[in-house]
Amino acid sequence: MMKHIEWARKDILFFDLLMLFMLVITAIVLLYAPASGSLSLFIPAAGLMLTMILSYSLGLESGLIAAIAMTFLYGSYIIYETMVVHRIAEANFGYICWFFFFPLGSFLAGHVADIVSSF
């Protein structure tokens, strides 16, 4: 018998479409509701959803590696904004939270994928 391709499972496609839908909703909210934040919040939100998609689709280990890379890239961006551009004057709680959101989101998506695939 022919073996099913792992990335073509219905739950993976559903999760990917759900994350892309959430990304579009986030972009719309950030564009049309300036009180909720600026569009610069879209970059870390997109990175979080990307790591969650990778963790769900490729497995927990690959997702956590992607989360480490995203945390490094976001940290480099924060250092650039602080030292070169001088846009960030003080450490904000919102900036620090993203350092925990990347690995936590990847970890949770990987565990959801393990639970769903066991059924």
Side-chain angles (χ1 to χ4, degrees):
M1 280 198 185
M2 201 166 157
K3 201 173 183 184
H4 287 92
I5 299 173
E6 186 70 23
W7 58 268
R9 288 187 350 219
K10 289 182 184 179
D11 63 310
I12 292 176
L13 293 175
F14 178 74
F15 186 81
D16 292 349
L17 288 174
L18 181 69
M19 287 293 116
L20 290 176
F21 178 72
M22 287 177 57
L23 188 64
V24 168
I25 294 299
T26 303
I28 291 170
V29 166
L30 290 175
L31 278 173
Y32 293 110
S36 66
S38 65
L39 193 59
S40 64
L41 290 175
F42 179 75
I43 304 293
L48 174 66
M49 291 179 194
L50 175 69
T51 58
M52 289 177 73
I53 287 172
L54 289 175
S55 183
Y56 194 91
S57 301
L58 301 177
L60 182 60
E61 294 84 14
S62 300
L64 287 175
I65 290 171
I68 289 171
M70 194 62 64
T71 303
F72 174 76
L73 289 173
Y74 183 69
S76 300
Y77 169 74
I78 293 296
I79 290 172
Y80 170 76
E81 288 287 320
T82 303
M83 297 181 115
V84 176
V85 183
H86 301 291
R87 254 185 250 169
I88 300 173
E90 61 185 39
N92 189 355
F93 183 70
Y95 295 132
I96 305 301
C97 285
W98 285 106
F99 290 112
F100 297 102
F101 289 161
F102 293 129
L104 182 65
S106 180
F107 179 75
L108 292 175
H111 274 292
V112 168
D114 290 340
I115 290 170
V116 169
S117 67
S118 68
F119 286 114

XYZ file of all heavy atoms in Angstrom, residues 23 26 30 40-50 98 102:
126
model
N -3.305 35.229 11.350
C -2.333 36.222 10.917
C -3.012 37.353 10.152
O -2.701 38.530 10.355
C -1.256 35.560 10.070
C -0.058 36.411 9.699
C 0.710 36.798 10.950
C 0.835 35.644 8.749
N -4.898 39.446 12.653
C -3.952 40.283 13.396
C -3.528 41.491 12.563
O -3.447 42.616 13.071
C -2.722 39.460 13.808
O -3.145 38.339 14.563
C -1.749 40.288 14.615
N -4.292 45.375 13.578
C -3.191 46.311 13.778
C -3.217 47.469 12.786
O -2.741 48.564 13.097
C -1.849 45.580 13.717
C -1.565 44.645 14.892
C -0.269 43.891 14.659
C -1.510 45.402 16.201
N 4.291 47.459 13.805
C 5.549 46.798 14.162
C 5.316 45.574 15.052
O 6.205 44.745 15.207
C 6.490 47.782 14.856
O 5.934 48.205 16.077
N 4.148 45.456 15.645
C 3.800 44.252 16.395
C 3.454 43.089 15.472
O 3.386 41.948 15.912
C 2.617 44.519 17.327
C 2.891 45.425 18.509
C 1.600 45.683 19.262
C 3.909 44.792 19.417
N 3.228 43.379 14.208
C 2.890 42.321 13.253
C 4.066 41.389 13.014
O 3.872 40.187 12.841
C 2.433 42.944 11.925
C 2.086 41.922 10.890
C 0.900 41.214 10.998
C 2.928 41.677 9.827
C 0.565 40.272 10.051
C 2.601 40.731 8.871
C 1.413 40.029 8.976
N 5.279 41.906 13.015
C 6.470 41.088 12.751
C 6.635 39.983 13.798
O 6.755 38.811 13.430
C 7.732 41.972 12.657
C 7.560 43.048 11.594
C 8.979 41.140 12.427
C 7.476 42.552 10.183
N 6.625 40.286 15.102
C 6.737 39.182 16.056
C 5.524 38.255 16.057
O 5.668 37.051 16.268
C 6.918 39.858 17.411
C 6.740 41.278 17.218
C 6.724 41.571 15.768
N 4.338 38.788 15.784
C 3.150 37.925 15.718
C 3.256 36.965 14.539
O 2.914 35.784 14.659
C 1.893 38.774 15.601
N 3.753 37.452 13.414
C 3.956 36.582 12.259
C 5.033 35.540 12.542
O 4.911 34.383 12.141
C 4.334 37.412 11.036
N 6.082 35.940 13.245
C 7.125 34.982 13.623
C 6.609 33.914 14.559
O 6.972 32.737 14.450
N 5.745 34.307 15.488
C 5.153 33.340 16.413
C 4.297 32.330 15.664
O 4.391 31.121 15.896
C 4.318 34.067 17.463
C 3.529 33.187 18.417
C 4.469 32.375 19.301
C 2.587 34.011 19.242
N 3.492 32.813 14.755
C 2.637 31.901 13.999
C 3.443 31.012 13.066
O 3.106 29.850 12.855
C 1.573 32.687 13.261
C 0.587 33.290 14.227
S -0.672 34.244 13.442
C -1.326 35.109 14.852
N 4.540 31.534 12.530
C 5.420 30.719 11.698
C 6.051 29.596 12.512
O 6.080 28.450 12.061
C 6.511 31.581 11.070
C 7.572 30.830 10.270
C 6.956 30.250 9.002
C 8.733 31.720 9.949
N 7.723 38.705 24.243
C 7.914 37.964 22.992
C 9.034 36.937 23.105
O 9.016 35.923 22.408
C 8.183 38.913 21.829
C 6.948 39.614 21.393
C 6.629 40.913 21.619
C 5.834 39.050 20.696
N 5.395 41.193 21.102
C 4.880 40.070 20.520
C 5.552 37.789 20.197
C 3.674 39.858 19.877
C 4.340 37.580 19.555
C 3.432 38.608 19.397
N 7.693 32.917 21.764
C 8.183 32.081 20.668
C 8.374 30.623 21.102
O 7.799 29.721 20.494
C 9.478 32.640 20.074
C 9.303 33.962 19.374
C 10.130 35.021 19.675
C 8.332 34.151 18.416
C 9.988 36.242 19.042
C 8.169 35.368 17.777
C 9.010 36.418 18.094
